[in-house]
Amino acid sequence: MVHYFQTVAAVLLAVILVLVLKKGGSGIGELLSLAVCAMVIIMAMEYIGPVAELIRSIEQIAFLDNQIVKNLLKIVGVSLTAEIAELICNDSGNQAMGKALQLLASVVVVSLSVPLMTDLLEMIEGVLGGI
Amino acid sequence: MKGLICISLLMMSLILPATATGIVAPEVPDNVQQLMPPEENSFGDRLCYIFKEALNQMQPMVASGLKICVSVVGSVLIFAFVRQFEGKSKTFVDLAGVLTVSGLLLDSTNSMIGIGAEAVRQISQYGKLLLPVMTAALASQGGSVSAASLYGATALFDSVLCSAISSVLLPMVSIFLVLSIVSAAVEDEFLIKIRDFVRQALTWCLKIILYVFTGYISITGIISGTADQTAVKAAKLTISSMIPVVGGIMSDASETILVSAGLVKNAAGIYGLLALVAITVVPFLKIGIHYLLLKITATLTTAFVPKPLSALLGDFSVAMGLVLAMTGAVCLIQMISVVCFLKGMS
């Protein structure tokens, strides 16, 4: 938990620094906010480790199919990273890039969920085929 | 001289062994034979024997059911974890949750529907063999009007219910499941309404058939029972008054014959009841255990699953409840009929 509070403090300090740098008119502010976001994501990965381990052990205990959970985690990862990237783009005044990123993320998420949709259709076909 | 020869021949025919071979309950199907208890025990003991044997067969079923429930709880836990990441992915996470849970439960639910359909078919087939025997037994005891009306009603309702179950109600259970899966996946109000309508229609169909059957049985039991008893009394009175000297003795003897016919009928009826229990008990317990496990899973996961997933789990248990009710209804119709045959002219 110490790392978490250290990170929160660092982010708050970085926000003040970015505000000062932006007032100065330099582009280093955007770069700094990007670096801070990357740092926070790396920190989050550290905490995600035990959760991923738990999910894996639940998978084993519950005899679950790995593929659906893998796809699910990919979908979550894609949508979260796209959201962060979009916010950074918006902060730096590049709304068009943010929107494009959002579109890309949506398409990737839909393409990742195609196997799920196929499974759903097959399931319905299987149930109704027996009638 | 001719009269003497005729009387001698008739007397000789009396030495032939006579058995009520026509009034014997039909044998149970081979797959149920092992559940049938030894005949020397009392009715209660024989019922206990059937249930004990059936429960012994349930162990693998309970183990596989528990395995499925653990899988469902595990997957629901994973989705509850993943759902904590707020964002655009929530819809897809919910969809994946619905698909995983449906995939885990559909196989076992489909096999339970198959078991229910097979049980209904077997009960109906056995009933088709048993009821004519019971009808003949009741008619031989003097209850020809009751026998005819009971047989007619039971055969009609049994065939109506079995046809309805195999060609309408069980396919409707499958449609109900599909509607539940799709409505949980896309959360569409219209689909949810159709799903609820299908469930209501299924419940009402079963209820109406059973209400009409029990009503008909009650009315015909009262009317035809009285008619038969009056007819038997009239026949006894006629015998005792028409035949001089030995009329009273013959009337008493006819009473003995009727009592014996009643004993034969009771033996066939009790065997038939036990056979019906033996045919029904294993599928009924299998579906019942599956139903209970689904209910427990739904209750356990209610706290941490989203509403559509919770509704889906509930719908799977509702589907099992409906299959259970169908199997039970067919067995109940047959058992009520057998009990009515046993009660008739008693």
Side-chain angles (χ1 to χ4, degrees), chain A residues 28-43:
Chain A
I28 300 171
E30 274 84 45
L31 286 175
L32 183 63
S33 70
L34 199 67
V36 169
C37 283
M39 188 190 79
V40 172
I41 290 170
I42 290 165
M43 277 304 298

Side-chain angles (χ1 to χ4, degrees), chain B residues 58-71 108 112 290 293:
Chain B
M58 289 303 118
Q59 213 170 352
M61 163 72 208
V62 174
S64 68
L66 276 174
K67 195 176 160 186
I68 292 166
C69 288
V70 168
S71 299
S108 58
M112 288 301 135
H290 201 75
L293 286 174

Side-chain angles (χ1 to χ4, degrees), chain B residues 5-18:
Chain B
I5 292 167
C6 282
I7 289 166
S8 310
L9 282 171
L10 277 171
M11 286 181 76
M12 278 171 74
S13 71
L14 289 175
I15 63 167
L16 292 170

